[in-house]
């Protein structure tokens, strides 16, 4: 029998931003329960909820203080049980985000590790002695963290020891080489499996195993004496053993395990992790199709320099496609760590056209599609006027320091953040045109995007037959139709006119043949077409401009065709 996630449509919820029901300006589990019918109507079968466990929120819940309880901001353990029950009644499965690469520095394990050098908890973390150079105490090596700092922080109370943190200093890395630590995590997973959770998104999974030699990276260190070299702690061979053990001891065979393996994983490695029926995890998320427009690290560049690189998108989709014969795969444009896809590859000037084009392009590729909350109404990047609006994310405070000391002006930083910051993917969901977009009666924890007053909200889009929301629902219903689902899952994918710089086109050949043609530009382009149309399944414009085997494609125009 096919795994259930192969025929599911996923939806990503950043809980703080989804719907507030207790009036504190922060979304909660009650808010997700309230919107389950909405999600069911949209065609969603599976929800991945970003972290909900008790946390001081230095990294928005990825820094866990207590794995066994829901953070009071999000509700109670009973709310989680209610959510599971209500979701299951509607045929929706729930996947929780589990961060095991690190804990919060407020987790009792860490507090004990600091307090008692001989405690078993000390062995749950990675603690090493620093080096004296010219009489000065330096970290054990030159590893840098993802949060623009050294990856080492002095261990409180110790004269010469440091602990490792590949993310923020408030998130000490756990020591997966220690079997007792691993057992502790299996206990956490089993607890939620018993509650009825259907799967886990395993956060930062690629970093669980570190290079055990803890030597300097050969890359040149920056001015702070450190360098980010993910090879030191990413996708190492030991990781496979840890994941296998997690599957065996922590969860069931039909528990969905989604691994966040980031930007350094290659398709062949992903295959060993997720080979159908053999690999320990089921879906491997990489970032390869997220940043194909030059926006990543583009501080200092003008907006005009940012443009979707359509050929590179095709290359990346094609590079991963061979895995389809042996692996289940996720399909997504963006999540809570990225800017909004509408701003990345589409345009707010062509909001409807580009949002519809982007979802159609994604849905009929191979894999389990994941929609980031709000994409279904065309939510886009923020236009905040001040850097301060971004500082609700601690990671931005570190980045601000680093960018300023690298000589960037605040104006440049603001422009860059509006384009590429992850806050863009975390703003409150826009439910209607009432106060705070209907997200909360209280002041939201994060500024609402003002475009909810320009029709970008659920209530108004429900009323408009041509809205992005109605299109999403319609397109999803086709994707879930047994015939289309079979073509997409079991057919053969071909990219058409690979070298076309503006158009992404593919054919999926199966029991019948479907063809997608998408213009990624805000202007007209031409596309040669030598096929016979059997049916137009989806189209985001009125009228067909096809003459002498050449399509004129209007801004972001997109077709899903049945061809003979
Ligand atoms: C990946 C998560 O998606 C991101 O939001 C978080 O900051 C890091 N992992 C650290 O947990």
């Amino acid at each position: 029998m096919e795994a259930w996630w192969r025929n599911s449509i996923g939806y990503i919820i950043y809980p703080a931003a989804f719907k507030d029901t207790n009036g504190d300006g922060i979304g909660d589990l009650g808010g997700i329960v309230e919107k389950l019918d909405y999600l069911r109507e949209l065609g969603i079968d599976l929800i991945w909820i970003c972290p909900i466990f008790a946390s001081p929120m230095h990294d928005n819940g990825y820094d866990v203080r207590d794995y066994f309880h829901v953070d009071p901001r999000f509700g109670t353990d009973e709310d989680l049980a209610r959510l599971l029950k209500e979701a299951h009644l509607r045929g929706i499965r729930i996947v929780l985000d589990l961060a095991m690469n690190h804990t919060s520095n407020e987790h009792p394990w860490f507090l004990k590790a600091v307090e008692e050098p001989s405690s078993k908890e000390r062995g749950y973390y990675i603690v090493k002695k620093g080096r004296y150079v010219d009489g000065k105490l330096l970290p054990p090596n030159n590893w840098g963290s993802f949060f623009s700092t050294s990856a080492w922080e002095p261990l409180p109370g110790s004269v010469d020891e440091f602990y490792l943190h590949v993310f923020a200093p408030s998130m000490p890395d756990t020591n997966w080489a220690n079997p007792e630590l691993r057992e502790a995590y299996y206990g956490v997973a089993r607890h939620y499996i018993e509650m009825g959770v259907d799967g886990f998104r395993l956060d930062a999974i690629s970093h669980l195993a570190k290079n055990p030699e803890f030597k300097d990276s050969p890359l040149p260190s920056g001015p702070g004496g450190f360098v980010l070299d993910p090879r030191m702690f990413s996708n190492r061979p030991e990781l496979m053993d840890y994941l296998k053990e997690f599957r065996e001891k922590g969860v069931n065979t039909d528990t969905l395990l989604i691994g966040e393996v980031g930007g350094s994983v290659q398709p062949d490695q992903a295959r060993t992790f997720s080979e159908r029926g053999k690999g320990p995890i089921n879906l491997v998320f990489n970032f390869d199709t997220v940043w194909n427009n030059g926006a990543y690290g583009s501080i200092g560049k003008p907006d005009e320099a940012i443009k979707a690189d359509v050929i590179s998108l095709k290359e990346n989709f094609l590079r991963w496609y061979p895995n389809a014969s042996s692996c289940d795969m996720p399909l997504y444009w963006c999540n809570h760590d990225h800017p909004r896809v509408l701003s990345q590859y589409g345009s707010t000037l062509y909001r409807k056209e580009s949002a519809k084009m982007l979802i159609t392009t994604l849905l009929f590729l191979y894999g389990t599609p994941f929609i980031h909350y709000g994409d279904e109404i065309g939510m886009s990047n923020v236009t905040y006027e001040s850097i301060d609006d971004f500082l609700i994310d601690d990671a931005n405070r570190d980045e601000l320091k680093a960018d300023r000391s690298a000589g960037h002006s605040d104006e440049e930083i603001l422009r860059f953040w509006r384009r590429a910051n992850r806050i863009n993917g975390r703003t409150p969901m826009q439910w209607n045109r009432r106060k705070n977009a209907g997200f909360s009666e209280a002041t939201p924890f994060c500024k609402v995007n003002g475009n909810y007053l320009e029709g970008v909200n659920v209530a108004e889009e429900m009323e408009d037959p041509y809205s992005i929301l109605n299109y999403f629902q319609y397109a999803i219903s086709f994707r879930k139709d047994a015939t289309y689902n079979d073509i997409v899952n079991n057919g053969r994918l071909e990219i058409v006119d690979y070298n076309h710089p503006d158009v992404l086109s593919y054919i999926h050949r199966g029991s019948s043949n479907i063809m997608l043609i998408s213009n990624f530009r805000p202007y007209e382009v031409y596309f040669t077409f030598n096929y016979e149309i059997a049916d137009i399944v989806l189209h985001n414009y009125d009228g067909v401009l096809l003459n002498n085997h050449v399509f004129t494609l209007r801004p972001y125009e997109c077709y899903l065709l049945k061809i003979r």
Side-chain angles (χ1 to χ4, degrees):
M1 211 180 62
E2 284 210 318
W4 57 265
W5 50 85
R6 255 172 86 79
N7 303 314
S8 296
I9 303 285
Y11 190 83
I12 307 171
I13 292 186
Y14 185 72
F18 196 58
K19 175 78 178 111
D20 174 23
T21 52
N22 64 0
D24 61 359
I26 303 172
D28 44 49
L29 295 181
I32 303 178
V33 173
E34 188 182 303
K35 298 298 180 186
L36 285 172
D37 286 333
Y38 163 77
L39 295 173
R40 185 64 251 168
E41 280 281 290
L42 183 60
I44 302 304
D45 313 282
L46 135 73
I47 307 176
W48 146 22
I49 308 176
C50 291
I52 54 168
F53 306 132
S55 161
M57 301 283 166
H58 293 303
D59 187 23
N60 313 289
Y62 284 99
D63 48 331
V64 178
R65 177 164 49 205
D66 178 357
Y67 289 97
F68 290 100
H69 294 293
V70 169
D71 192 279
R73 290 172 185 80
F74 299 133
T76 60
D77 299 347
E78 289 69 42
D79 290 335
L80 176 58
R82 186 162 61 96
L83 170 63
L84 289 167
K85 182 168 158 242
E86 294 295 328
H88 290 160
L89 280 174
R90 290 164 178 81
I92 297 178
R93 291 183 163 95
I94 300 289
V95 168
L96 295 185
D97 210 320
L98 186 55
M100 305 187 289
N101 176 68
H102 41 263
T103 66
S104 158
N105 59 354
E106 294 182 21
H107 193 289
W109 294 343
F110 191 70
L111 299 179
K112 191 73 186 275
V114 166
E115 199 181 303
E116 270 182 49
S118 61
S119 63
K120 76 170 188 310
E121 285 81 1
R122 180 75 148 235
Y124 284 10
Y125 295 91
I126 299 166
V127 175
K128 302 272 171 216
K129 275 196 188 307
R131 305 182 276 192
Y132 282 96
V133 176
D134 299 332
K136 205 175 150 211
L137 180 64
L138 296 180
N141 61 33
N142 68 348
W143 295 3
S145 80
F146 289 108
F147 281 22
S148 326
T149 60
S150 160
W152 298 94
E153 188 72 7
L155 185 73
S158 167
V159 225
D160 58 358
E161 286 164 309
F162 291 74
Y163 65 89
L164 184 74
H165 59 89
V166 304
F167 293 96
S170 57
M171 294 150 74
D173 276 49
T174 48
N175 179 13
W176 274 70
N178 178 347
E180 272 188 84
L181 178 274
R182 301 202 297 270
E183 279 298 333
Y185 274 124
Y186 307 148
V188 172
R190 277 196 305 269
H191 170 77
Y192 288 104
I193 294 294
E194 276 155 31
M195 258 184 108
V197 162
D198 302 289
F200 296 104
R201 180 257 189 189
L202 304 175
D203 177 68
I205 202 74
S206 42
H207 313 307
L208 296 188
K210 325 291 184 214
N211 187 325
E213 294 180 9
F214 291 96
K215 285 194 185 142
D216 274 347
S217 154
L219 298 180
S221 301
F226 54 85
V227 56
L228 173 62
D229 182 358
R231 290 169 309 174
M232 297 294 124
F233 42 75
S234 300
N235 298 316
R236 295 189 44 80
E238 304 83 352
L239 176 57
M240 190 65 175
D241 302 328
Y242 301 156
L243 293 176
K244 276 189 185 155
E245 203 180 74
F246 184 79
R247 166 66 72 186
E248 279 160 23
K249 297 190 172 179
V251 299
N252 300 332
T253 42
D254 69 341
T255 303
L256 170 58
L257 292 183
I258 304 174
E260 187 210 24
V261 292
S264 48
V265 74
Q266 294 305 316
D268 55 339
Q269 286 171 305
R271 202 156 45 233
T272 60
F273 290 143
S274 64
E275 196 173 338
R276 228 173 274 130
K278 289 192 191 151
I281 60 176
N282 310 107
L283 302 177
V284 169
F285 268 80
N286 69 78
F287 302 159
D288 290 2
T289 48
V290 175
W291 292 105
N292 296 180
N293 63 347
Y296 189 80
S298 63
I299 189 160
K301 285 197 188 157
D303 288 344
E304 302 73 64
I306 310 303
K307 187 174 174 188
D309 181 342
V310 182
I311 295 184
S312 149
L313 271 174
K314 291 184 240 195
E315 184 191 325
N316 281 322
F317 281 124
L318 262 193
R319 210 157 57 79
W320 280 89
Y321 182 65
N323 277 15
S325 59
S326 53
C327 304
D328 299 339
M329 280 155 61
L331 264 176
Y332 81 123
W333 282 128
C334 63
N335 64 30
H336 65 292
D337 284 334
H338 310 124
R340 285 278 169 187
V341 65
L342 189 125
S343 305
Q344 283 278 82
Y345 299 146
S347 163
T348 51
L349 297 175
Y350 293 96
R351 190 182 300 274
K352 276 190 178 175
E353 294 81 356
S354 59
K356 292 175 185 180
M357 179 281 278
L358 288 165
I359 189 63
T360 317
T361 306
L362 189 79
L363 275 182
F364 294 88
L365 282 162
Y366 173 83
T368 301
F370 282 81
I371 295 166
H372 189 43
Y373 81 95
D375 279 355
E376 75 274 23
I377 52 169
M379 281 174 65
S380 49
N381 283 358
V382 297
T383 51
Y384 294 162
E385 296 294 332
S386 159
I387 279 184
D388 294 344
D389 294 331
F390 289 87
L391 300 184
I392 50 170
D393 185 350
D394 280 4
N396 288 341
R397 293 178 184 273
D398 292 335
E399 198 183 317
L400 182 63
K401 269 189 227 141
D403 290 347
R404 278 181 177 157
S405 61
H408 294 290
S409 68
D410 282 11
E411 199 188 321
E412 273 176 338
I413 298 171
L414 181 63
R415 189 173 340 112
F416 173 54
W417 281 1
R418 284 166 156 202
R419 174 194 297 154
N421 199 269
R422 63 185 189 175
I423 290 291
N424 289 297
R426 299 177 174 199
T427 59
M429 177 69 179
Q430 298 166 200
W431 293 106
N432 52 49
R433 63 158 48 233
R434 294 203 302 271
K435 183 179 164 195
N436 301 325
F439 161 72
S440 173
E441 284 301 315
T443 307
F445 74 102
C446 169
K447 269 196 181 166
V448 180
N449 194 319
N451 61 27
Y452 75 96
L453 292 169
E454 293 155 24
V456 186
N457 66 67
V458 172
E460 282 175 70
E461 294 203 24
M462 273 185 169
E463 299 302 314
D464 169 6
Y466 300 102
S467 68
I468 299 170
L469 180 59
N470 278 314
Y471 185 92
F472 261 66
Q473 193 182 15
Y474 188 64
I476 289 173
S477 71
F478 273 101
R479 176 61 170 80
K480 291 174 79 162
D481 170 275
T483 313
Y484 288 94
N485 195 45
D486 178 61
I487 299 170
V488 170
N489 275 347
N490 304 313
R492 193 166 35 85
L493 182 79
E494 264 168 42
I495 296 280
V496 182
D497 200 351
Y498 182 87
N499 291 318
H500 198 304
D502 308 311
V503 175
L504 195 157
S505 174
Y506 58 77
I507 296 178
H508 240 130
R509 294 188 192 276
S511 54
S512 52
N513 302 324
I514 56 173
M515 178 173 191
L516 171 110
I517 305 171
S518 289
N519 175 13
F520 271 69
R521 301 293 175 221
Y523 44 80
E524 271 186 12
V525 303
Y526 301 102
F527 183 75
T528 308
F529 178 81
N530 286 314
Y531 304 86
E532 197 187 329
I533 300 178
D535 199 4
I536 298 182
V537 185
L538 295 167
H539 185 201
N540 59 352
Y541 272 82
D542 284 336
V544 175
L545 306 184
L546 176 62
N547 269 313
N548 289 329
H549 297 281
V550 176
F551 267 115
T552 301
L553 298 171
R554 290 160 281 188
Y556 302 102
E557 187 163 8
C558 158
Y559 290 92
L560 185 76
L561 306 171
K562 243 188 190 170
I563 54 167
R564 280 192 240 281

